[in-house]
Amino acid sequence: AAQRRPSVAPKRPPGKRSASTDAPRAKRAKQRPCPFPNKLASMVGDAANAEMLRWHKKSRTLEVKKSHPALSALLGRNFASSSFESFARQLNYYGFSRSKDNSDNWRNVDSNLADADAIRWLPRRCVDRRSGGGSRLKPWAAASAAGSNR
């Protein structure tokens, strides 16, 4: 088996720097949103789905009309399951919980969601089953959420 030599960056004369080497590595990496919140933001942004899914800027809540007859078909087109329960579970994974005043409204624990497009960048939370439940950020998601300026 041939051994690979580690790549060595060419030395640059002092005083000559490029912007790509000065920026932190995390900033240079292409950031891609997670699939579920990315699809959710696309669905909310589509005017054809306004009767079923709507983002309220003032209250910063997501309204999901569970009783709408076409909702399961919309979920089936965009996700692996057309079940509302599965959709609600995914919402919970990304920090949404039902509002106490209205069961159709979902509020996110991150109150900085100014618009529906910000949903794309929500980190997924995972359940810590060892400690009896509770939701927490995955270690990699916590680091990116703390250091991002979205």
Side-chain angles (χ1 to χ4, degrees), residues 54-62 111 113-117:
R54 190 174 324 157
W55 178 257
H56 296 283
K57 285 185 180 182
K58 186 176 180 182
S59 61
R60 295 184 179 182
T61 57
L62 175 69
S111 61
L113 294 175
D115 58 0
D117 195 51

Side-chain angles (χ1 to χ4, degrees), residues 25-43:
R25 186 174 187 168
K27 294 282 184 183
R28 284 185 280 153
K30 288 185 179 180
Q31 294 179 348
R32 292 181 18 207
C34 294
F36 177 80
N38 192 28
K39 288 180 183 180
L40 178 62
S42 297
M43 288 168 40

Side-chain angles (χ1 to χ4, degrees), residues 83-99:
S83 165
F84 179 79
E85 289 75 18
S86 177
F87 178 71
R89 186 179 314 116
Q90 287 294 320
L91 286 173
N92 289 328
Y93 282 146
Y94 286 92
F96 284 94
S97 59
R98 283 192 181 166
S99 296

Side-chain angles (χ1 to χ4, degrees), residues 12-129:
R12 214 174 276 156
K16 298 224 176 187
R17 304 178 113 181
S18 69
S20 63
T21 58
D22 293 339
R25 186 174 187 168
K27 294 282 184 183
R28 284 185 280 153
K30 288 185 179 180
Q31 294 179 348
R32 292 181 18 207
C34 294
F36 177 80
N38 192 28
K39 288 180 183 180
L40 178 62
S42 297
M43 288 168 40
V44 170
D46 189 1
N49 303 328
E51 292 180 14
M52 297 171 274
L53 296 170
R54 190 174 324 157
W55 178 257
H56 296 283
K57 285 185 180 182
K58 186 176 180 182
S59 61
R60 295 184 179 182
T61 57
L62 175 69
E63 182 180 4
V64 181
K65 294 287 186 180
K66 181 181 176 181
S67 59
H68 197 283
L71 181 64
S72 67
L74 175 69
L75 295 177
R77 280 194 309 270
N78 289 285
F79 304 111
S81 174
S82 61
S83 165
F84 179 79
E85 289 75 18
S86 177
F87 178 71
R89 186 179 314 116
Q90 287 294 320
L91 286 173
N92 289 328
Y93 282 146
Y94 286 92
F96 284 94
S97 59
R98 283 192 181 166
S99 296
K100 294 179 180 173
D101 59 343
N102 185 351
S103 64
D104 282 347
N105 287 339
W106 294 76
R107 180 177 299 278
N108 192 281
V109 295
D110 181 12
S111 61
N112 295 327
L113 294 175
D115 58 0
D117 195 51
I119 294 173
R120 293 181 197 282
W121 302 104
L122 287 173
R124 183 180 166 118
R125 301 177 187 289
C126 62
V127 176
D128 189 2
R129 291 187 170 91

Side-chain angles (χ1 to χ4, degrees), residues 133-146:
S135 178
R136 62 178 171 79
L137 286 174
K138 289 184 176 182
W140 56 266
S144 67

